[in-house]
Amino acid sequence: MLRSMYAGVSGLNSHQQMMDVVGNNISNVNTIGFKSSRVTFKEMLNQTIKGASAPQDNRAGTNPQQVGLGVGLGSIDADMSSGNLQPTGKSSDVAIQGDGFFILQDGEKNVFSRAGNFNFDRNGNLYSSSTGLLVQGWKADQGELPTDMGKNNMEAITLDSQIGAKATDSISYSKNIDAAAENTLKVDNLTLDLTTSGYEDSLSFELTPDENSFNTWNFTLKAENAATTFSGGTANFTEKMTGQLELDSNGSIISFVSDDDGSGNTIDFITNNLTVDINGSGETVVLNTPVSGDSINSVKLFADSTAPADNNLTLDYKLNAKRGISVDVFDSLGDKHNLEFTLKKVDNRLWRIYENDISIDGSSSQDIGGPYHEIKFGPEGKVESGGILDFTFHPVGPDADQTVELDFSKITQYAGEMSANFENINGNAKGSLESFSFTETGDIIGSYSNGLTQVQARIALANFQNPAGLIRQEGVFSESANSGDAEVVSPSEGGAGSLAPSTLEMSNVNLSQEFTNMITAQRGFQASSKLITTSDEMLQELVNLKR
């Protein structure tokens, strides 16, 4: 029998296998995540007719004489390059941009896939729509992923359908309170027309802010008649008198005192009324003065003790150096409460929250550990002391004390806008899952009806030293002796690619190349079949030699 006939048979078999691979590639041109394959051939064993000989004396060496016995299948190689990405708009679809495989669980072992057409079942399990296998990753605990994410602590990914209520226990504040903020004090009513025993005089009153002291004003009380004198205690002034009026941030009088009369004497109007000697006649009018702690807006600074009630001096105080901040907090049952307080400036670098200026659901006089909490700023505008306030209230539902730490350490005091507000707050009401999304790093983010978003899990990826060595099994891959063990990593880490949300990876089949391979396989098959028929004709000629 001719060796060429069997060589032709091997050619038919080999090119048929090549055609099988090409056909499989073309049929999967629209299969998501599909990886194409190629066929390579190798020469089969050769029959040696004559061996090689070495050169000797004057004779040259000869090469071996061998006849090949046909062709065999050299390899079927998988092309593991990435396919193009196709946007789908479906939130549960995801593709890998780069190396790596999704890890699926078939109940006994892990298998691997590039197809990211996922869905969630009624139990919240993330599964592959193509295979029904559960997607593996790491579950978050109240939004916190495990610190050690590896192969041994992977599990099936599930979404929590609701998020429980959590009590607020921390609020941080930031931005700025205006260092240049000042309160205002102006004359509201001035009617000091004094009359007694036929003598008359009118008094004028002026206010200017004291540049050296916060919430302090310099005043000047002046008579029209230069002979009129003012006295109180041991001090005496002629025609005019100057002094200072100091208020606290709420407008209550702290001090009200005259300047030195030139003899080392002053009048403390908190303890002394003012006596006015009209025109130096000896006929006097007593002007009543307020006492310490009186609200400047509800008392008369000077009031004629004998004249009609409207013969007096009143002032109008406006609290401008303040910042009110309101925020909602939650108790342990998820009920919402409004926490509101006002920061008031009491000195150039000193602000206070008074216990009557902090309220929960409108109820003031809350427990702040004293009559007020004080925040002091340094010369550079940063908090120097008082950066933390522990505020305690007693919500009705849980019927237990709840303490909230108010952190003011990031607030600054610079001249400029009054913008201080809360920055971060924890705690929340109960919420139900409304939607979810993937991130490029593999995190699954759940969005809830209470307005919160929370990390639910992270998808795991597997890398292999030789991904082409994986074994194909009904749309998935499994490890082989030559693929290497799976290295489990997070997306975008350890050489793994990132994820592309709402997209799918298309097949990497190149149709133009496959059609070319199809022609090559067809021609090779035709040539091999022609080899068989030609060998048959030669055998027929041999048989026909004897007739």
Side-chain angles (χ1 to χ4, degrees), residues 33-51:
F34 177 77
K35 301 304 174 188
S36 62
S37 300
R38 69 168 188 182
V39 171
T40 60
F41 298 141
K42 67 177 181 179
E43 185 181 13
M44 293 180 67
L45 293 175
N46 289 271
Q47 180 179 358
T48 302
I49 298 174
K50 179 181 179 182

Side-chain angles (χ1 to χ4, degrees), residues 180-186 206-220 243-245:
E182 297 286 345
N183 301 315
T184 59
L185 183 66
K186 63 181 182 179
E206 294 181 353
L207 279 171
T208 56
D210 190 321
E211 295 181 355
N212 298 317
S213 301
F214 178 74
N215 244 35
T216 300
W217 288 265
N218 298 316
F219 70 84
T220 300
Q244 289 82 37
L245 172 62

Side-chain angles (χ1 to χ4, degrees), residues 236-491:
N236 291 280
F237 300 86
T238 301
E239 186 182 5
K240 74 174 182 179
M241 174 183 62
T242 59
Q244 289 82 37
L245 172 62
E246 182 183 1
L247 307 177
D248 68 14
S249 59
N250 293 316
S252 298
I253 297 172
I254 296 176
S255 68
F256 183 23
V257 64
S258 73
D259 290 331
D260 191 331
D261 65 355
S263 300
N265 301 312
T266 61
I267 305 174
D268 185 354
F269 295 109
I270 300 299
T271 56
N272 295 278
N273 290 325
L274 179 64
T275 300
V276 183
D277 184 344
I278 300 176
N279 303 340
S281 63
E283 297 296 331
T284 62
V285 172
V286 176
L287 299 181
N288 295 328
T289 56
V291 298
S292 177
D294 283 348
S295 172
I296 196 67
N297 285 339
S298 60
V299 298
K300 299 168 183 177
L301 196 65
F302 293 116
D304 189 340
S305 60
T306 60
D310 59 352
N311 198 35
N312 54 59
L313 169 64
T314 58
L315 302 180
D316 180 37
Y317 173 78
K318 287 194 180 340
L319 176 62
N320 302 317
K322 65 178 180 177
R323 176 62 175 175
I325 302 177
S326 176
V327 64
D328 289 332
V329 299
F330 297 90
D331 62 30
S332 59
L333 299 182
D335 287 332
K336 184 188 297 185
H337 305 273
N338 181 253
L339 170 62
E340 187 173 9
F341 63 83
T342 302
L343 276 166
K344 294 180 178 178
K345 188 177 182 181
V346 296
D347 207 343
N348 286 325
R349 291 189 286 115
L350 198 63
W351 295 69
R352 285 178 181 170
I353 302 173
Y354 290 93
E355 62 179 354
N356 290 331
D357 288 333
I358 186 167
S359 65
I360 193 80
D361 294 334
S363 175
S364 59
S365 298
Q366 299 296 320
D367 180 13
I368 59 173
Y372 57 80
H373 177 77
E374 200 164 73
I375 304 173
K376 185 177 181 180
F377 292 87
E380 296 181 352
K382 303 292 181 64
V383 172
E384 195 172 76
S385 63
I388 299 294
L389 167 61
D390 288 329
F391 166 71
T392 301
F393 71 105
H394 193 93
V396 175
D399 194 22
D401 284 347
Q402 180 174 336
T403 299
V404 182
E405 180 186 85
L406 310 183
D407 184 356
F408 306 112
S409 59
K410 293 183 181 179
I411 292 180
T412 58
Q413 184 195 241
Y414 301 121
E417 62 178 355
M418 193 79 79
S419 58
N421 211 331
F422 70 92
E423 180 183 45
N424 290 309
I425 177 172
N426 64 5
N428 54 267
K430 180 181 75 68
S432 299
L433 183 66
E434 292 185 330
S435 63
F436 63 90
S437 61
F438 292 95
T439 68
E440 291 186 355
T441 57
D443 292 344
I444 303 176
I445 309 298
S447 298
Y448 293 85
S449 59
N450 57 8
L452 291 183
T453 58
Q454 190 176 83
V455 176
Q456 290 287 297
R458 177 175 290 178
I459 290 180
L461 295 184
N463 260 344
F464 294 90
Q465 289 293 329
N466 177 27
L470 293 170
I471 299 174
R472 299 174 189 256
Q473 293 180 336
E474 297 182 7
V476 297
F477 296 91
S478 62
E479 295 176 353
S480 75
N482 196 40
S483 65
D485 294 333
E487 179 187 0
V488 178
V489 295
S490 295

Side-chain angles (χ1 to χ4, degrees), residues 7-8 10-16 18 41 71 517-531:
S10 68
L12 291 177
N13 291 333
S14 297
H15 285 91
Q16 179 60 56
M18 179 180 179
F41 298 141
V71 66
N517 292 343
M518 184 190 301
I519 295 172
T520 302
Q522 180 185 16
R523 293 306 180 192
F525 189 89
Q526 288 176 337
S528 296
S529 63
K530 179 60 72 174
L531 177 61

